């Protein structure tokens, strides 16, 4: 005969309670990466360990593909600089014979007519392809036997079709989208009339993001509840070039963003510092429309990466680091779009570019150019990006589609200069919809 008794009990710990606060990602929330690479410095920056794996790469039951890049940090930095200078000379400073204006200032197809614009674009394409391929070969052609196997595998995968690629490194930074791999492996690009195609640029065909590694509590979905998203606009109003307020490059961007989000505009360093150091400010989107540059060397020495708003006060990487320390908690993974020259540049040391300190501050996804960009083009690209992003599209696919759109419809290759720190999964979502379980 069984007997029932009431037992006293005390719960001293509930290890599952905290699961209620974890992000609940469904399988469709994140894209499956077909190729992942990690690159880590070794031997004091004189070599790099590379590991690659993913469904697009062969696996025979052994360890993932591994190799050693036998190039130093200084050598790679020099080659990256050569690529960026090539783009500055061939694209940004390109002038048509007999013209005083720059060819790729805005939309060449609109400014010159499609036939003339396509002719100008075709004239520079092979040079850009050679430069991008030279850097690709520089990275993956000198190393051990493992690097040779790895290079062969990733080349075959990249030529097989569009890939979804995550590159994780705190030590090596290159403008991945600007690298070039000839679709036909028998192509010899140094030949005078070598065949080339825009699809050979990695940023034209593939989804590519660079990450700096694991970040605790990071979440790719930018949840804004049922209300409109909050957007912080950091503008240098001097970019209006005498236009009436609400017009010009930044006026166009403002008009697009405020159609879809509630905006707070900041135009001086003091306002930006107060916002970024205040944990109560939780923008879903940050847009910078300003003058800026990466690290510069001149006869007076080294100048930190910086940008300026209307007051002209330099906002350096060290300022972003200070505001992060004062805030004492990360930003809630907003998307940050840099309509700033060299605003997407990220390097090993925090003072070299603005990408790393913004990422450390808590930005979830950062998009910005590696080189100087004309204001007109920067505004046009930014407007088109947010027109698509506010539809709930992921950042990286939007950037790739715009790269193709600007080549085919506007006859400009400048979409390729934008680097993505994360972005493959980052998108705006209604928090109530994000919490729903699939039917």
């Amino acid at each position: 005969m069984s007997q029932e008794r009431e037992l006293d009990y005390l719960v001293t710990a509930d290890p599952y309670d905290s699961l209620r606060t974890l992000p609940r990602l469904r399988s469709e929330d994140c894209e499956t990466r077909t190729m992942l690479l990690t690159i880590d410095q070794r031997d004091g920056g004189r070599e790099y360990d590379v590991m690659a794996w993913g469904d697009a790469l062969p696996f025979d039951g052994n360890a993932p593909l591994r190799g050693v890049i036998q190039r130093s940090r200084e050598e790679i930095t020099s080659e990256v600089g050569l690529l960026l200078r090539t783009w500055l000379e061939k694209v940004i400073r390109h002038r048509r014979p007999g013209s005083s204006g720059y060819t790729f200032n805005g939309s060449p197809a609109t400014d010159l007519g499609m036939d003339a614009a396509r002719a100008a674009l075709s004239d520079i394409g092979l040079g850009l392809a050679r430069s991008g391929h030279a850097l690709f070969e520089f990275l993956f052609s000198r190393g051990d036997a493992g690097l040779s196997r790895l290079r062969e595998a990733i080349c075959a995968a990249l030529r097989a079709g569009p890939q979804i690629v995550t590159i994780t490194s705190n030590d090596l930074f290159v403008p991945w989208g600007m690298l070039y791999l000839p679709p036909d492996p028998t192509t010899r690009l140094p030949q005078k009339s070598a065949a080339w195609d825009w699809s050979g640029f990695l940023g034209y065909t593939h989804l590519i993001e660079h990450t700096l590694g694991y970040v605790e509590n990071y979440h790719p979905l930018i949840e804004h509840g049922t209300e409109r998203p909050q957007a912080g606009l950091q503008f240098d109003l001097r970019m209006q070039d005498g236009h009436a307020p609400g017009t010009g490059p930044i006026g166009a961007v403002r008009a697009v963003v405020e159609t879809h989000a509630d905006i707070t505009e900041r135009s001086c360093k003091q306002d930006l510092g107060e916002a970024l150091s205040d944990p109560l400010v939780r923008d879903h989107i940050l847009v910078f429309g300003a003058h800026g540059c990466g690290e510069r060397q001149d006869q007076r020495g080294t100048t930190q990466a910086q940008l300026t708003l209307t007051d002209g006060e330099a906002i350096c990487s060290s300022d972003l680091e200070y505001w992060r320390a004062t805030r004492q908690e990360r930003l809630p993974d907003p998307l940050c779009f840099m309509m700033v020259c060299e605003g997407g540049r990220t390097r090993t040391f925090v003072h070299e570019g603005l990408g790393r300190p913004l990422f450390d501050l808590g930005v979830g996804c950062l998009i910005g150019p590696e080189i100087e960009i004309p204001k007109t083009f920067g505004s046009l690209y930014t407007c088109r990006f947010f027109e698509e992003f506010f539809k709930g599209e992921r950042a990286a696919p939007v950037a790739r589609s715009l790269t193709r759109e600007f080549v085919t419809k506007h006859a400009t290759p400048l979409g390729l200069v934008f680097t993505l720190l994360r972005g493959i999964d980052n998108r705006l979502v209604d928090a109530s919809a994000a919490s729903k379980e699939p039917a």
Side-chain angles (χ1 to χ4, degrees):
M1 181 176 178
S2 62
Q3 293 182 343
E4 295 183 0
R5 295 183 58 187
E6 292 282 342
L7 299 177
D8 294 331
Y9 65 92
L10 175 67
V11 178
T12 59
D14 181 0
Y16 302 103
D17 183 65
S18 62
L19 291 178
R20 294 182 302 179
T21 65
L22 291 178
R24 300 299 181 96
L25 291 179
R26 302 189 300 271
S27 58
E28 64 268 26
D29 289 332
C30 293
E31 294 280 1
T32 299
R33 275 52 168 180
T34 60
M35 190 186 309
L36 298 102
L37 285 83
T38 61
I39 306 175
D40 297 308
Q41 180 180 283
R42 59 181 256 174
D43 194 21
R46 288 184 284 272
E47 294 180 334
Y48 293 85
D49 279 322
V50 186
M51 183 167 67
W53 70 99
D55 292 343
L57 300 175
F59 184 70
D60 60 4
N62 288 310
L65 294 163
R66 302 191 71 143
V68 177
I69 296 175
Q70 295 172 343
R71 304 281 191 185
S72 70
R73 176 182 181 273
E74 290 74 21
E75 290 176 313
I76 294 173
T77 298
S78 177
E79 288 299 312
V80 169
L82 180 60
L83 170 68
L84 300 181
R85 286 194 297 275
T86 298
W87 275 75
L88 283 172
E89 294 167 3
K90 291 186 175 295
V91 184
I92 302 301
R93 298 170 186 160
H94 184 278
R95 298 177 190 265
R96 296 177 66 231
S99 172
S100 59
Y102 293 110
T103 304
F104 298 98
N105 183 44
S107 169
T110 301
D111 299 336
L112 308 176
M114 183 57 82
D115 290 343
R118 284 178 175 167
L121 184 62
S122 179
D123 287 343
I124 65 173
L126 179 56
L128 300 180
R130 285 172 176 159
S131 185
H133 188 235
L135 182 53
F136 185 95
E137 288 294 311
F138 187 85
L139 290 173
F140 295 106
S141 65
R142 181 193 289 178
D144 62 358
L147 185 68
S148 297
R149 291 190 294 270
L150 185 148
R151 178 191 181 283
E152 181 180 354
I154 64 174
C155 286
L158 293 171
R159 287 178 170 129
Q163 305 299 335
I164 303 174
V165 186
T166 293
I167 300 156
T168 302
S169 181
N170 259 302
D171 304 314
L172 185 142
F173 297 90
V174 301
W176 299 105
M178 300 165 74
L179 269 58
Y180 185 88
L181 183 68
D184 181 352
T186 65
T187 299
R188 297 182 181 277
L189 285 177
Q191 293 181 346
K192 183 177 181 179
S193 300
W196 67 278
D197 189 87
W198 291 109
S199 64
F201 287 96
L202 302 193
Y204 189 97
T205 297
H206 310 285
L207 297 181
I208 302 180
E209 66 178 2
H210 189 117
T211 73
L212 304 183
Y214 174 77
V215 174
E216 188 173 0
N217 296 324
Y218 159 72
H219 194 37
L221 304 184
I222 307 169
E223 299 179 3
H224 58 83
T226 57
E227 304 299 325
R228 281 157 57 94
Q230 300 291 320
L233 307 183
Q234 288 65 229
F235 286 158
D236 183 346
L237 300 179
R238 296 172 298 175
M239 292 177 65
Q240 295 178 146
D241 287 341
H243 292 283
T247 63
I250 60 175
V253 173
R254 181 192 296 114
V256 170
V257 176
E258 69 180 356
T259 300
H260 303 276
D262 294 334
I263 67 171
T264 301
E265 192 162 334
R266 306 166 187 124
S267 59
C268 67
K269 181 176 181 178
Q270 178 65 37
D271 291 343
L272 179 61
E274 288 184 13
L276 294 185
S277 60
D278 184 351
L280 297 179
V281 175
R282 303 178 67 81
D283 291 339
H284 302 101
I285 293 170
L286 296 170
V287 183
F288 287 83
H291 294 92
C293 65
E295 181 186 70
R296 293 290 172 90
Q297 303 272 355
D298 58 28
Q299 64 273 15
R300 293 171 293 181
T302 301
T303 302
Q304 284 192 21
Q306 59 184 255
L307 62 84
T308 58
L309 299 178
T310 312
D311 57 5
E313 289 193 42
I315 299 167
C316 301
S317 54
S318 55
D319 292 310
L320 297 171
E321 286 287 287
Y322 174 58
W323 296 335
R324 176 181 67 84
T326 305
R327 184 183 180 93
Q328 296 185 336
E329 66 177 63
R330 296 178 65 253
L331 292 169
D333 302 312
L335 177 134
C336 178
F337 193 98
M338 301 291 284
M339 194 176 83
V340 178
C341 291
E342 303 176 5
R345 189 170 291 186
T346 307
R347 297 292 182 263
T348 302
F349 300 116
V350 71
H351 60 270
E352 294 179 290
L354 295 170
R356 183 186 289 275
L358 284 166
F359 216 56
D360 291 343
L361 187 62
V363 163
C365 168
L366 184 138
I367 303 173
E370 288 278 345
I371 61 174
E372 299 172 17
I373 56 170
K375 289 183 293 185
T376 306
F377 169 80
S379 177
L380 180 59
Y381 184 96
T382 307
C383 288
R384 284 292 298 119
F385 177 86
F386 281 107
E387 287 169 355
E388 299 302 318
F389 185 72
F390 278 118
K391 296 176 182 178
E393 301 293 338
R394 293 179 171 91
V398 170
R400 180 179 63 180
S401 67
L402 291 184
T403 294
R404 297 171 177 176
E405 176 182 311
F406 274 87
V407 168
T408 57
K409 294 184 178 181
H410 297 276
T412 175
L414 284 174
L416 287 167
V417 308
F418 283 83
T419 284
L420 277 75
L421 290 184
R422 295 205 189 99
I424 289 177
D425 302 313
N426 302 77
R427 60 188 176 95
L428 281 170
V429 295
D430 182 320
S432 61
S435 64
K436 294 178 182 177
E437 294 296 331

